[in-house]
Amino acid sequence: MPPRNPKVDALLSQHSKWFDEFDALRTIALSFPLTEERKWYQPCYTLNGKNVILIHGFKDYCALLFFKGALLKDTQKILATPGSLQSGRQLRFTCVKDIVRLKLTIKAYIAEAIEIEKSGKKVKLKSTSDYEIPAEFK
């Protein structure tokens, strides 16, 4: 198991709302050969310097973000697309019980994300110039 990063320890000690959920997700993430870093004030897990997953909290849920989530198979149909992100996908949780219940699925998704990163695959992003302006705004 990779070591826990003291910067992430300090960061997570400040979060009371999602502390148990963050700790459970962190434990799962650290069961993989990923490097734990602090990026964007969040725990981020990288492979050879490339972002793979990020743990973050919101008002109503906490989430595990897959940077190349659009490439995941999502066999369980549980990934959410946050905002207007083209490549990222989230697993969202409102309690630690859901994380425990889905532990094997979470691990399978992380393993797939690592394999995608190792393969060098990239998400084909849509060009912003491909966006069609609705007729009422032309």
Side-chain angles (χ1 to χ4, degrees), residues 29-64:
L30 287 173
S31 70
F32 291 90
L34 297 171
T35 302
E36 183 177 63
E37 300 181 38
R38 179 184 146 178
K39 292 187 177 184
W40 307 286
Y41 299 100
Q42 307 298 328
C44 183
Y45 300 84
T46 63
L47 182 70
N48 300 322
K50 302 286 186 179
N51 299 328
V52 178
I53 55 176
L54 180 105
I55 298 171
H56 53 155
F58 298 89
K59 180 180 176 185
D60 297 325
Y61 64 89
C62 67
L64 183 65

Side-chain angles (χ1 to χ4, degrees), residues 76-111:
Q76 302 295 313
K77 305 293 183 220
I78 55 176
L79 290 175
T81 304
S84 60
L85 285 183
Q86 292 185 40
S87 61
R89 298 293 183 271
Q90 294 174 327
L91 289 177
R92 295 178 178 175
F93 305 98
T94 56
C95 66
V96 75
K97 285 188 251 181
D98 290 340
I99 296 167
V100 172
R101 183 176 52 82
L102 290 171
K103 182 178 180 179
L104 293 177
T105 301
I106 296 166
K107 287 184 127 188
Y109 278 50
I110 293 172

